Amino acid sequence: MFPQNVKGSLKNEFTKLIEPVKLILRKGNTEIDESTELLLNEISSISDKIRVVVSEELECHGYPCISIETESKDYGLRYMGKPDGGEFQTFINAIIMVSRNEYDLSDRTVEFVEEIDQHVDIKVFVTSSCGWCPPAILKAYSFAMVNDNIKATAIDCYAFEDLAIKYNVAAVPKIVINDKVEMIGLKDENEFLGHIFSSIT
C-alpha cells in the first residue's frame, strides 16, 4: 500500500489525465510478476481513468511485460520488470504522456520521425538505481509516440539478466536499436535520431 503522501501526490498528478489508460500486463510465473500486478492495481485504484488488464496475448519479445496504452491505441510503449525505485516516477510520467498524447521532442525532430516507414525496435536497458535511465526511457517512448512503426521497451537488467547478458550490458542506460545500433548513456534527441536512421539504412 502506498503511504498517504504518495497517494496524495499521485492523485494530484493524475488530474492531468485526459484519455483513459490501460496498463496491460503479460505475466510470467515469477514472484516479481505478482508484485508487479499488485503495484499496477494500486496505481489504478487512485484514478478511474486507469485500468489494469492481464493478457497472455500481449507480445513483448516473448517475455512478461507491461504495455501502456489508451483504450483506442497501442503506442508501442513497453516496460519489462517492476517499475519501482527510480523508475516509478518514469512509469507515472509515461502514463500521463500516453493519456495526453504528449512527448518530449522538438517540432523539427517530429517531422523527421513521422517520415520513418520501416520498423524500429528500441530497447533501453535500465536499473532502478540509475539516474540517467528515466530520461533515456522517456526519450525512447517519445519517439514511439510519434510514429506507429517505432516500438520502445524499457528492460530492467536485474529482472531479465539473460537479456542483459545477450546484449552485453555493462553500463546503463544502454540503448539497442533494431539489434544493430548501440549507444550507452543519455543522448540528445539529434544523436538518438541519427542512431535510429543508422539502424534502418
Side-chain angles (χ1 to χ4, degrees), residues 41-109:
N41 285 330
E42 184 77 3
I43 291 170
S44 70
S45 72
I46 296 171
S47 172
D48 58 8
K49 288 192 173 180
I50 303 172
R51 71 185 183 100
V52 177
V53 177
V54 177
S55 172
E56 294 304 312
E57 297 178 7
L58 178 63
E59 177 48 43
C60 189
H61 306 292
Y63 287 85
C65 72
I66 306 161
S67 177
I68 309 166
E69 311 176 7
T70 64
E71 292 292 338
S72 59
K73 181 162 185 178
D74 176 4
Y75 287 96
L77 277 59
R78 304 287 189 266
Y79 192 97
M80 292 172 55
K82 182 180 178 182
D84 57 5
E87 300 308 334
F88 179 75
Q89 186 59 50
T90 309
F91 190 75
I92 299 302
N93 291 344
I95 290 172
I96 295 169
M97 278 174 60
V98 166
S99 176
R100 299 178 64 86
N101 190 19
E102 292 180 345
Y103 37 81
D104 180 26
L105 296 173
S106 68
D107 292 342
R108 182 173 178 276
T109 297

Side-chain angles (χ1 to χ4, degrees), residues 147-161:
N147 190 317
D148 290 347
N149 291 311
I150 302 175
K151 310 299 180 189
T153 305
I155 304 171
D156 184 328
C157 292
Y158 293 125
F160 297 93
E161 291 183 2

